[in-house]
């Protein structure tokens, strides 16, 4: 049900939040979060996930959004005074779909996996939807969005029509802790016909049920393609390999590809994905090992090294440690990559800025004393758009280095 409204979207009760003087500035610049410290008064007693209206302290309307007790108190859905009803969400979903359509992602024989909804980037804070060749995997990060999962399933059916076979809700581990509501991992509709997808012509088995995140790191699609252009006849080391995304692209023309991940299921999946594309091919080997330990003594065995670790920092209070982690990792790679070698190095921590990440890599390079050039500065692809008013949405950062 749409909270605070019946199914037709008629508001039943309106909850009003008044901001402290001066705290309206970021909202007027369309930033989609209201922090709890900015609130002067709440009229009514909103439950988590209710729709609330936000006003400045002179009683001018500012925005409407989902309420949540905690540091981010309101996730804004609209800066217009409009009803947040079924049609509202239908409109936002349609825009998200049409945008991907304009990117050529929705009817593409080479790629049938893409992100359909990217939270704030699509004006839908708290909601992620990834499309895997017929199956939409939804991940809700707010109770406001979680409560609407059945409406969203309906909307997806409406927009995707025959393209949609199943909708899977994977919110068990993503709902805010405060809520006391346990999310679910379950099919909300249909059952999948395929568990493989095609990305740039390569086949990948996706395990959205027990895999990490929604099952696949779609956000590296364009970076994987770029990697491929650097791997011809090269010896490639893919650290933190997960499904073997980078490894599969590299296998196209590398002389050797080694995948390292500390997780057994990840290694199995990487092996399977290489097999799906190249059959039994002894150019590929996988290692279930800690990436840091693996690099202790690789000397100049590799010409291309990929470092795509999990988010080292999930919160600002561990930022310094995370930056040290990136530095340590990059020192090992820069020190040992063969002369003329290439390093693809990434950070997907939202709290690590582009500048901070670059400083860590710079510090790592300086530590080794080798000559290093930056060839590319990478980010996330356009199906993971960054809302210009929400710079926090730019979470994926990468550098491609040439090491003399
Ligand atoms: N590059 C991947 C995504 C990486 S996700 C892709 O393109 O799909 C991060 C991966 O790092 C996970 O699979 C996790 O199991 C692995 N991991 C986490 N800590 C690790 C460690 N210390 N050593 C090796 N792998 C690790």
């Amino acid at each position: 049900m749409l909270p605070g409204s019946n199914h037709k979207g008629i508001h039943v009760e309106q909850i009003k939040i008044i901001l402290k003087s001066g705290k309206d500035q970021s909202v007027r610049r369309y930033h989609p979060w209201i922090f709890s410290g900015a609130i002067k008064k709440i009229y009514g007693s909103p439950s988590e996930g209710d729709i609330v209206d936000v006003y400045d302290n002179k009683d001018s309307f500012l925005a409407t959004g989902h309420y949540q007790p905690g540091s981010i108190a309101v996730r804004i859905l609209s800066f217009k005074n409009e009803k947040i009803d079924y049609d509202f969400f239908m409109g936002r979903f349609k825009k998200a779909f049409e945008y991907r359509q304009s990117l050529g992602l929705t009817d593409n024989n080479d790629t049938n996996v893409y992100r359909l909804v990217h939270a704030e980037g699509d004006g839908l804070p708290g909601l992620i939807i990834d499309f895997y060749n017929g199956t939409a995997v939804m991940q809700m990060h707010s109770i406001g969005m979680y409560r609407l999962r059945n409406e969203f399933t309906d909307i997806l059916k409406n927009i995707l029509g025959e393209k949609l076979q199943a909708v899977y809700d994977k919110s068990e581990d993503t709902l805010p802790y405060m809520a006391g509501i346990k999310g679910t991992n379950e099919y909300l509709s249909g059952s999948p016909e395929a568990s493989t997808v095609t990305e740039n012509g390569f086949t990948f088995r996706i395990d959205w049920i027990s895999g990490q995140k929604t099952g696949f790191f779609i956000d590296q699609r364009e970076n994987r393609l770029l990697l491929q252009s650097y791997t011809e006849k090269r010896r490639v080391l893919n650290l933190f390999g997960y499904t073997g995304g980078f490894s599969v692209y590299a296998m196209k023309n590398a002389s050797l590809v080694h995948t390292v991940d500390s997780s057994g299921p990840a290694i199995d999946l990487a092996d399977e994905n290489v097999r799906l594309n190249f059959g039994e091919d002894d150019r590929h080997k996988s290692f279930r090992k800690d990436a840091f330990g693996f690099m202790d003594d690789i000397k100049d065995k590799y010409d291309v090294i990929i470092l795509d670790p999990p988010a080292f920092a999930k919160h600002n209070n561990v930022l310094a440690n995370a930056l040290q982690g990136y530095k340590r990792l990059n020192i090992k790679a820069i020190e040992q990559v063969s002369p003329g070698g290439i390093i693809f190095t990434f950070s997907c921590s939202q709290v690590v800025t582009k500048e901070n990440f670059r400083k860590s890599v710079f510090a790592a390079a300086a530590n080794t004393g080798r000559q290093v050039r930056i060839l590319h500065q990478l980010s996330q692809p356009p199906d993971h758009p960054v809302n210009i008013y929400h710079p926090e949405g730019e979470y994926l950062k990468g550098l491609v280095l040439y090491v003399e």
Side-chain angles (χ1 to χ4, degrees), residues 313-331:
K314 294 237 161 72
H315 298 286
N316 258 318
N317 50 7
V318 288
L319 181 62
N321 282 347
L323 295 176
Q324 276 304 317
Y326 290 119
K327 183 178 161 190
R328 271 204 307 137
L329 195 62
N330 282 280
I331 287 177

Side-chain angles (χ1 to χ4, degrees), residues 79-94:
F79 295 91
K80 281 195 268 179
N81 200 346
E82 61 182 322
K83 284 208 173 82
I84 306 299
D85 54 11
Y86 185 88
D87 291 343
F88 168 85
F89 286 108
M90 175 66 93
R92 287 278 157 101
F93 272 61
K94 268 201 178 131

Side-chain angles (χ1 to χ4, degrees), residues 212 217 224 240-243 246 261-263 266 289-291 308 310:
Q212 303 170 39
F217 286 76
R224 291 193 263 260
F240 309 93
Y242 188 32
T243 55
F246 283 102
D261 200 290
S262 54
S263 141
K289 289 223 165 100
D290 169 62
D308 185 22

Side-chain angles (χ1 to χ4, degrees), residues 212-213 215-221 224 238-247 260-264 266-267 287-293 306-312 346 348:
Q212 303 170 39
K213 300 271 174 83
F216 194 54
F217 286 76
I218 303 173
D219 55 3
Q220 291 285 24
R221 180 181 58 243
R224 291 193 263 260
N238 181 15
L239 294 156
F240 309 93
Y242 188 32
T243 55
F246 283 102
S247 301
V260 176
D261 200 290
S262 54
S263 141
I267 286 296
F287 303 85
R288 185 185 170 186
K289 289 223 165 100
D290 169 62
F292 286 87
I306 300 130
L307 304 170
D308 185 22
F312 283 162
F346 295 97
C348 60

Side-chain angles (χ1 to χ4, degrees), residues 207 211 228 254:
D207 184 355
Q228 192 188 306

Side-chain angles (χ1 to χ4, degrees), residues 104-115 130-136 163 194-204 206 208 216 218 221 383:
L105 283 169
T106 60
D107 288 286
N108 186 323
N109 287 335
D110 279 342
T111 299
N112 55 26
V113 47
Y114 61 91
R115 177 154 289 189
D130 286 337
F131 183 80
Y132 293 114
N133 185 18
T135 299
K163 287 193 174 82
S195 61
T196 58
V197 300
T198 308
E199 184 187 86
N200 288 319
F202 295 109
T203 305
F204 290 96
I206 310 294
W208 48 80
F216 194 54
I218 303 173
R221 180 181 58 243
D383 51 336

